[in-house]
Amino acid sequence: MNDSIHQEAYEMSVLAKEALEDKKGEDIKILDLKGLSNIADFFVIGSGNNPNQIRAMADSVNEKLYKAGYKLNHSEGYSGGVWVLLDYGSLIVHIFDREQRNFYGLERIWGDAEEK
């Protein structure tokens, strides 16, 4: 894997984390998937308390990354507001309510990933 691409993905992850923090996201983690997955280089995972907050968190990530020059490839779950997935290619952002986050357990599934 190209180290400059990995570094850029990490920088995107930091921006996404900041955007989630701006909207009072909780338990925000950056997982480095280098060598573990061909899906993405990084996951950013955060929790919100209700659908409105979760959508606001997603909007905040989109806005911050767009202003930094990054394009959203795909999103899912926005209308439901219990799990929003934002796919930026080398970065995937997961925003959950607590129940869905506990149920899917991405941190457990990707337990070998280094937390940044």
Side-chain angles (χ1 to χ4, degrees), residues 65-77:
L65 288 178
Y66 178 79
K67 286 181 178 176
Y70 301 110
K71 182 178 178 289
L72 177 66
N73 294 335
H74 178 75
S75 67
E76 292 182 22

Side-chain angles (χ1 to χ4, degrees), residues 44-80:
V44 173
I45 305 169
S47 297
N49 293 309
N50 59 63
N52 288 336
Q53 181 189 18
I54 290 168
R55 284 189 286 268
M57 291 165 66
D59 290 342
S60 180
V61 170
N62 278 327
E63 182 178 336
K64 191 165 196 116
L65 288 178
Y66 178 79
K67 286 181 178 176
Y70 301 110
K71 182 178 178 289
L72 177 66
N73 294 335
H74 178 75
S75 67
E76 292 182 22
Y78 188 87
S79 61

Side-chain angles (χ1 to χ4, degrees), residues 17-115:
K17 181 178 182 187
E18 290 170 357
L20 295 177
E21 290 170 342
D22 289 347
K23 296 298 178 186
K24 310 295 187 222
E26 299 174 356
D27 195 20
I28 303 165
K29 296 183 179 178
I30 297 175
L31 300 182
D32 185 343
L33 305 177
K34 185 176 183 177
L36 299 175
S37 171
N38 59 5
I39 298 170
D41 289 358
F42 289 92
F43 278 176
V44 173
I45 305 169
S47 297
N49 293 309
N50 59 63
N52 288 336
Q53 181 189 18
I54 290 168
R55 284 189 286 268
M57 291 165 66
D59 290 342
S60 180
V61 170
N62 278 327
E63 182 178 336
K64 191 165 196 116
L65 288 178
Y66 178 79
K67 286 181 178 176
Y70 301 110
K71 182 178 178 289
L72 177 66
N73 294 335
H74 178 75
S75 67
E76 292 182 22
Y78 188 87
S79 61
V82 295
W83 178 5
V84 176
L85 180 146
L86 305 171
D87 179 356
Y88 290 90
S90 56
L91 166 66
I92 298 177
V93 180
H94 300 272
I95 309 167
F96 291 98
D97 68 13
R98 282 190 193 89
E99 184 179 336
Q100 296 297 312
R101 185 167 180 174
N102 288 336
F103 180 79
Y104 286 100
L106 293 184
E107 294 99 329
R108 194 173 56 252
I109 293 168
W110 295 98
D112 291 342
E114 179 183 350
E115 187 174 336

